[in-house]
Amino acid sequence: MKADLRAAGVRDLGRQGPPRASDRASLRRSNLGLVLRLLRDAGPRPRTQIADETGLPKATITNLVAELVEHGLVREGEAERHGSVGRPGRTVEIDGRTICGIGVEINVDYLSLIAFDLRSDVIAERHTPLDARGSEPDAVLDRMAEAIGETCDALRARGVHPVAVTIAAPGVIGMDTGVVSYASNIGWRDVAVVDGLRTRLGPKAPPLRLENDAKLGAIAEYLVAATSDIHDLIYVTGETGVGGGIISDGRLLRGSAGFAGEIGHMPLDPGGQPCACGRHGCWETMVGLAALLRLAAAPDDPVHDPTVDLEHRLAELRRRADAGDPATRAALDRIADGLALGLALLADVLNPRAIVLGGYFAHFGDHLVDRVRGELSARVMAHEAGRCEVMLSTLGFSAAARGGAYMALDSVYQDPSGVSAVSGV
């Protein structure tokens, strides 16, 4: 990506390599996507500015914009006058209100769905309490298919065409196979999520893909929450488990087999609490939601009840913390110390520009972040913690589903010319 585009805040999650210069069709698709991502991330701008920032000739930009308008992906915006001479030029801005991407997260306690149009406006959203660990996988897939099917039908009735659905699941997943290989916190092994949903949804189903929930949370943070100068970050989410997503030089880090980011099972306390993975003292046994509940409340306390929506239970713990309850405050201090221990290791190895705390960590952010920052600075070897900033997510428990919706739309941003075939635009 050109330095001036990066300075403008353009982000590229595409999995494709750069087009060959000899492949003119591929080069055109790449340039269409480049213009579309620029408008998404940097906002409306006139054609002359697009040409300056992309380094493409003005005539080329004029043709590319015309094609994007034809596909319904951009539109003319407000007129802008630069100087006093000549006719004011019109800005170009994202349109794409007739297509959307859908993200669906399955977690221990809930099912979450969100749909975005190309302007990143939320056009559908639902959040349902669900005891995934206490249910058979088929029953969970039934609920997911019902939510996806009802949402797709409602959107199509409004003239909006879902281009894809991304499923966010915890644990080790096979992105190519669509199988959750192992998710200890919901008790899943070798569950064929994509095939199961495709069978339930039938031939009208949009393209489906599967991705790890924390990786999708990292994508959402990178695209939405991080400032334009941050292109290396680690997203750490605290829920029943602890997951991580790593953005390195603006790209999602997957590792050779796609398992990068399984940070919750770092063995930081080998003599500690048993973990759902079968080992003892994994990091999530120290800082996961179960650890907070165990430290803060007796076993018969209502905050342990999985049939109560997680956000209501966390709100109760938050109320106690704000009121100065000693047990809750002491529990949060223990969590902060455990967080700093693991984060310092990650910072030493990966040297991120930012670590973003999501899930319940963000919910209790003001009770955790100062202590975490202080401990992190003391533990990291690099001067000033390698310039690593600890940030709190502003996306709540919707981060993974949001990342899924963005990933569902990524094919449009990589190849806008394919929209007509997918959506009928």
Side-chain angles (χ1 to χ4, degrees), residues 312-348:
H312 292 306
R313 292 186 281 150
L314 291 179
E316 171 58 20
L317 285 177
R318 173 73 200 214
R319 184 193 65 76
R320 297 177 191 180
D322 291 345
D325 176 64
T328 308
R329 288 288 188 91
L332 290 169
D333 286 346
R334 288 274 300 276
I335 296 296
D337 292 343
L339 260 179
L341 175 63
L343 296 181
L345 293 175
L346 295 172
D348 277 336

Side-chain angles (χ1 to χ4, degrees), residues 152-166:
C152 287
D153 288 345
L155 291 171
R156 289 179 181 127
R158 291 160 48 189
V160 180
H161 302 272
V163 297
V165 178
T166 306

Side-chain angles (χ1 to χ4, degrees), residues 82-96:
H82 296 278
S84 58
V85 179
R87 191 173 64 183
R90 286 195 171 275
T91 60
V92 181
E93 61 185 34
I94 289 283
D95 190 0

Side-chain angles (χ1 to χ4, degrees), residues 140-152:
V140 176
L141 293 179
D142 287 343
R143 295 285 295 276
M144 295 175 71
E146 179 183 14
I148 294 169
E150 290 177 354
T151 300
C152 287

